[in-house]
Amino acid sequence: RREVINADVSGIPTRADLGFKEDDVVLACFNQLYKIEPKVFAVWMKVMAQNKKTKLWLLNFSKAAYKYLRKEAERRKVDGSRLVFHSKFPKHSELLVKAHADLF
């Protein structure tokens, strides 16, 4: 849309600001956490275990979910710090920020 194409990008966080390196492969899921099914999470962990430069970018809805998902990642031999959680972004910059993801 024109609003995104002509958007002012000043103040939009960079990949580094978001906790990603330039060569990271960023898998993203911005759904509500209850929509993450165990089978889907298992596939993400399998991909991440085989590709050390991948990170999973999720919305942060609760501290309990954050801790649980990181624990589950560790259980599957994936460093929990590779799960990156962020709060929702302001509407005017949301699409520009999410453009840092490589795969949704």
Side-chain angles (χ1 to χ4, degrees), residues 37-90:
E37 296 181 3
K39 287 181 182 180
V40 172
F41 189 78
V43 170
W44 287 335
M45 294 303 103
K46 185 175 182 180
V47 168
M48 292 178 71
Q50 294 175 6
N51 300 281
K52 301 301 181 194
K53 291 191 178 273
T54 55
K55 290 191 176 174
L56 179 58
W57 188 10
L58 300 163
L59 286 178
N60 189 16
F61 287 100
S62 74
K63 191 173 264 190
Y66 169 94
K67 287 181 180 181
Y68 175 78
L69 290 174
R70 284 208 163 156
K71 181 180 172 184
E72 284 300 307
E74 296 281 348
R75 196 171 70 78
R76 292 173 168 86
K77 309 293 187 232
V78 173
D79 182 349
S81 69
R82 292 172 53 204
L83 276 63
V84 179
F85 295 87
H86 284 105
S87 298
K88 291 183 178 182
F89 296 98

Side-chain angles (χ1 to χ4, degrees), residues 6-52:
N6 295 328
D8 177 13
V9 296
S10 61
I12 301 300
T14 64
R15 281 175 74 100
D17 294 336
L18 295 168
F20 306 119
K21 297 178 183 172
E22 286 303 316
D23 62 344
D24 282 341
V25 177
V26 180
L27 312 177
C29 178
F30 299 115
N31 288 325
Q32 297 278 335
L33 293 178
Y34 75 88
K35 293 182 179 180
I36 299 175
E37 296 181 3
K39 287 181 182 180
V40 172
F41 189 78
V43 170
W44 287 335
M45 294 303 103
K46 185 175 182 180
V47 168
M48 292 178 71
Q50 294 175 6
N51 300 281
K52 301 301 181 194

